[in-house]
Amino acid sequence: MTPALLPAVPPAPCRRAAAHRAVRLAAAGAGGATEMLAAARALEAAGRRVIHLEVGEPDGPTPPHVVEAGVRALRDGHTRYAPAAGIPALRAAAAAALGARGIPADPACVVVAPGARAMLFSALLAALRPGDEVLVPDPGYAAYGAVARFAGGRPVRYRLRARDGWAADPDAVAARLTPRTRVLVLNAPHNPTGVGITPEALAGLAELAERHDLLVVSDEIYARHVYDGAGAAAGAHPSIAALPGMAARTVVVDGLSKAYAMTGWRLGYGLLPPALAGPATAVLAQQATCTAAFVQHAGVAALTGPQEGVAERVAELRVRRDRFAARLDAIPGVRCAVPAGAFYVFPRVAPGAGPVSAAGDPAPALARRLLDAHGVACVPGAAFGPGGAGHLRLAYTAPVDDLDAAAAALRACVAPPGARG
Ligand SMILES: Cc1ncc(COP(=O)(O)O)c(C=O)c1O
């Protein structure tokens, strides 16, 4: 009989591993959309049909020429490690795409990452010192605060307010500045509200960043999803990095997930000030080594190939937005603005509408009822910060029939108890 290589002692729980896990998970926070998706998937596993309005991803397929480029790259043997900062062709294509939006971009300062979220992570890890304060929008994409904490920083929320149409206000940002403030995070068009930042506000925020020597992290993943105003005419939301001098203190975070229906490919990139490009690449190299080479080749096809498909998808989303927002706004107790960008609506539900949860915010219980009773998945606004309480985020990346059914379901949920079906 072969002697056992290891003595037969029962495995003991590793206390040290548990301690590390606790620290990291506390920093990570919870993901509202991820939790709702898990609940929705559980219902589907039990045989129920679910309308998915909780996850922010286009419902259409990746364009065929992009898929083809990825497959061709696999066949051509692009199956090995790639340069940590990305293949030169993709860095050049990304720089050109940014340049077309008026952002001065040197390919040497473009870093490719497995997703915009990974880019955000690498940039903040590269930039932050322990205790640095990071100004993040509230409500806002939950990753900003979580990643800032991961990186040893301290997220400080600046409020966006429904009564101001969720517009970013330089004065509200200035009010949150302290001597420890180091980074200002902007996101336009904005998740979860869909609202952009006006050119005047961008100028005010740029002035603030210069006066207080802040690094700006500008998340522009929805830049191509603009439906109204000057941004729609230009085909993209304006970037703070295009303002004079701002590229030197701005990290532009972008990616292919939303504009090219490539959420599952995991492909993003950043344009960084020269002094940060190297450190951010080092973080990426330690975390992921590189972004998959064949995926990057597909990305080159997406950025350099025909762009009409993007415009067509945006036009289709605009039709859905108008119809869905109007139907939601017509529900008694629900107020739904028509946001100018991204692909979310963020209706307010009146206190007392639907089943009220313990904290007095009707949205979480409403979201739960929508899912359990009607098979409609969405995210309560408080998952994006306390400023989102009283709201629901619904992605209108679904066929109009499903959006109509979702609006009817919300109407049924908020109807007075006696009138509920
Ligand atoms: C504002 C914002 N930034 C970044 C991301 C992440 O994008 P990616 O899929 O490229 O990691 C998302 C995804 O929902 C988002 O809403």
Side-chain angles (χ1 to χ4, degrees):
M1 203 176 118
T2 323
L5 287 176
L6 293 171
V9 285
C14 173
R15 285 198 312 267
R16 188 177 288 260
H20 283 307
R21 191 189 60 188
V23 170
R24 288 302 172 202
L25 283 186
T34 318
E35 279 166 20
M36 290 308 282
L37 177 63
R41 292 266 185 257
L43 279 190
E44 284 175 323
R48 292 270 307 279
R49 176 172 187 260
V50 174
I51 298 175
H52 288 279
L53 308 186
E54 78 283 38
V55 183
E57 65 180 345
D59 53 327
T62 303
H65 72 280
V66 177
V67 174
E68 192 46 47
V71 172
R72 199 178 328 115
L74 280 170
R75 292 215 177 93
D76 289 349
H78 293 290
T79 51
R80 295 169 180 266
Y81 293 132
I87 60 172
L90 183 55
R91 296 172 78 190
L98 294 165
R101 294 179 51 211
I103 304 167
D106 178 350
C109 293
V110 172
V111 176
V112 176
R117 191 199 285 250
M119 190 62 244
L120 191 70
F121 188 89
S122 305
L124 285 180
L125 240 79
L128 288 180
R129 295 170 303 212
D132 280 347
E133 290 180 0
V134 180
L135 293 172
V136 300
D138 172 25
Y141 182 49
Y144 304 138
V147 171
R149 273 192 294 272
F150 244 113
R154 203 171 83 79
V156 174
R157 299 186 181 107
Y158 63 90
R159 281 298 291 271
L160 307 174
R161 295 184 190 281
R163 64 164 185 261
D164 304 330
W166 303 111
D169 170 12
D171 291 338
V173 174
R176 306 295 283 151
L177 288 168
T178 77
R180 305 225 59 167
T181 311
R182 193 160 145 72
V183 175
L184 167 62
V185 177
L186 302 177
N187 173 216
H190 178 256
N191 177 9
T193 66
V195 170
I197 303 182
T198 62
E200 297 72 34
L202 278 182
L205 292 163
E207 206 252 318
L208 204 64
E210 282 194 339
R211 191 152 22 100
H212 297 275
D213 195 19
L214 305 179
L215 177 74
V216 176
V217 172
S218 181
D219 182 343
E220 304 184 6
I221 189 87
Y222 299 104
R224 305 285 294 276
H225 290 92
V226 275
Y227 309 105
D228 304 312
H237 190 280
S239 172
I240 195 166
L243 298 181
M246 284 306 290
R249 59 169 66 255
T250 303
V251 176
V252 178
V253 175
D254 203 340
L256 288 90
S257 291
K258 317 286 179 175
Y260 299 96
M262 292 180 74
T263 47
W265 294 71
R266 310 309 305 133
L267 187 56
Y269 58 85
L271 173 69
L272 297 101
L276 268 185
T281 304
V283 174
L284 266 164
Q286 292 305 333
Q287 178 203 0
T289 304
C290 63
T291 305
F294 68 94
V295 168
Q296 296 193 55
H297 283 276
V300 173
L303 290 178
T304 61
Q307 299 297 304
E308 294 79 15
V310 179
E312 280 162 20
R313 286 190 294 280
V314 170
E316 167 67 22
L317 283 166
R318 187 181 200 278
V319 172
R320 294 178 184 181
R321 174 201 68 164
D322 290 347
R323 181 179 172 115
F324 194 37
R327 286 184 182 228
L328 295 176
D329 197 52
I331 299 171
V334 176
R335 277 287 146 269
C336 186
V338 182
F343 38 59
Y344 307 107
V345 285
F346 200 56
R348 193 178 85 85
V349 284
V356 178
S357 55
D361 173 3
L366 205 48
R368 197 65 231 192
R369 184 191 287 254
L370 266 171
L371 182 62
D372 292 342
H374 300 272
V376 175
C378 66
V379 186
F384 302 91
H391 292 75
L392 295 171
R393 189 196 77 171
L394 303 105
Y396 48 87
T397 48
V400 280
D401 287 353
D402 283 351
L403 296 175
D404 288 353
L410 183 59
R411 181 181 282 274
C413 282
V414 300
R420 263 177 216 146

